Amino acid sequence: MSLFGLFRRGSAPIARERLQILLSHERVACGRPDLLSILREEIIAVIGRHASFEPDKVQIKMERGKSVSTLAIELEIPNRDQVLGAVPPSVAARHELL
Amino acid sequence: MAQVLVVTSGKGGVGKTTSTAALGAALAHDGTKVVVIDFDVGLRNLDLVLGAERRVVFDLINVINGVAKLPQALIRDKRLESLYLLPASQTRDKEALTEDGVAKVIEELRTKFDWIICDSPAGIERGATLAMRYADAAIIVTNPEVSSVRDSDRIIGLLDSKTAKAERGERVDKHILITRYHSSRAARGEMLAIDDVLEILSTPLLGVIPESQEVLRASNVGSPVTLNNPQSAPARAYFDVARRLKGERVPMVVPSETKGIFNRLFSRNAA
């Protein structure tokens, strides 16, 4: 569960996250990529230059608020791989310890 | 200028036929001429929900095949004289529904009516694609539930690519109608909230119909909920939607079952 989930109760936040992830994939498959899937592809390309990871282990979520929206990127990088370069500070990558 | 609306969803059982009947009656309430068309060939139900099941003589397929003229197939509602039904065939194959045939019927209806509401079958097969084919605007009926939202997303993709308007490089106006909504369950985080659904589907909201036993009660007796109990919460929500469709700015509220008390959700107006 993401950080956002901690502030909300019930199962609706899980439904919302699952749908966001699923639909960003399905929209690409149907030939109508949205902002989230374009960002996903480009972020994977950029980080992929500096670290190796499974593209499936990247989760990108967008939360739209009234005045600000947040983009959360969760990325699993296996420990055995060396991270070659610094990840841009705007990217909040979480290193999962395996 | 006639408006062709499609009521669609992808998923079955979310309230397309209920909404078509309720909105048809709400729009026709002031004498506006409305026709509702059932596109669910082989599984028609709009006639039953409108209480006209024993008055069906000719249907949409008969008109397309030239067996009957359009005025012979149109059934006038017994309660509202400006509301008409064009039923689907219960026996024919849905292959009998042709693109040219549907185009001709819609063109003829455009000269006689103010609103033409196409009740789409579930799925993304021929009946569903032909129901949306000539639409100017679409109402995507969505329940706050994962499978319904996913199917709505798929339908939005089809509306943007497979309609006559999309093929001409124009856009079908798309609106979300959330049905079977429980304000309290959404507030407790047990059900997707309105904002969640709108954000995921990136499509403007037309209205929210609260879950209510009045909907089943109305279909039991064969009367649109907006005629059967106009003061009920779902009926008031459908009347609000009808006013928005006619261009009025109506605050977006979810009517509650307690009469006269409105649960203000947000002050945003429908797009």
Side-chain angles (χ1 to χ4, degrees), chain A residues 41-58:
Chain A
E41 293 309 307
E42 295 189 1
I43 286 165
I44 289 174
V46 168
I47 301 177
R49 277 189 243 137
H50 305 285
S52 58
F53 56 89
E54 290 278 322
D56 287 349
K57 298 283 168 92
V58 182

Side-chain angles (χ1 to χ4, degrees), chain A residues 5-89:
Chain A
L6 297 176
F7 300 106
R8 299 173 69 171
R9 292 164 298 156
S11 53
I14 302 169
R16 177 197 149 92
E17 272 187 30
R18 290 178 60 221
L19 276 169
Q20 279 193 330
I21 294 162
L22 173 72
L23 294 182
S24 73
H25 281 90
E26 286 190 346
R27 284 169 188 158
V28 174
C30 292
R32 45 181 200 113
D34 60 353
L35 174 66
L36 217 53
S37 28
I38 294 167
L39 284 174
R40 188 173 186 279
E41 293 309 307
E42 295 189 1
I43 286 165
I44 289 174
V46 168
I47 301 177
R49 277 189 243 137
H50 305 285
S52 58
F53 56 89
E54 290 278 322
D56 287 349
K57 298 283 168 92
V58 182
Q59 288 199 356
I60 297 179
K61 284 165 227 152
M62 194 178 262
E63 186 108 349
R64 286 200 180 88
K66 281 205 176 83
S67 51
V68 239
S69 297
T70 54
L71 180 70
I73 300 160
E74 193 172 309
L75 174 63
E76 270 186 34
I77 301 172
N79 248 359
R80 60 182 178 276
D81 289 322
Q82 187 74 35
V83 178
L84 298 175
V87 174

Side-chain angles (χ1 to χ4, degrees), chain A residues 8-12 15-16 19-20 22-23 26-27 32 62 64, chain B residues 146 149-150 153-154 156-157 188-192 196 199-201:
Chain A
R8 299 173 69 171
R9 292 164 298 156
S11 53
R16 177 197 149 92
L19 276 169
Q20 279 193 330
L22 173 72
L23 294 182
E26 286 190 346
R27 284 169 188 158
R32 45 181 200 113
M62 194 178 262
R64 286 200 180 88
Chain B
V146 286
V149 174
R150 180 198 210 173
D153 191 72
R154 189 73 197 282
I156 288 168
R188 290 196 299 270
E190 296 168 7
M191 178 182 261
L192 285 169
D196 291 338
E199 185 188 329
I200 293 164
L201 297 176

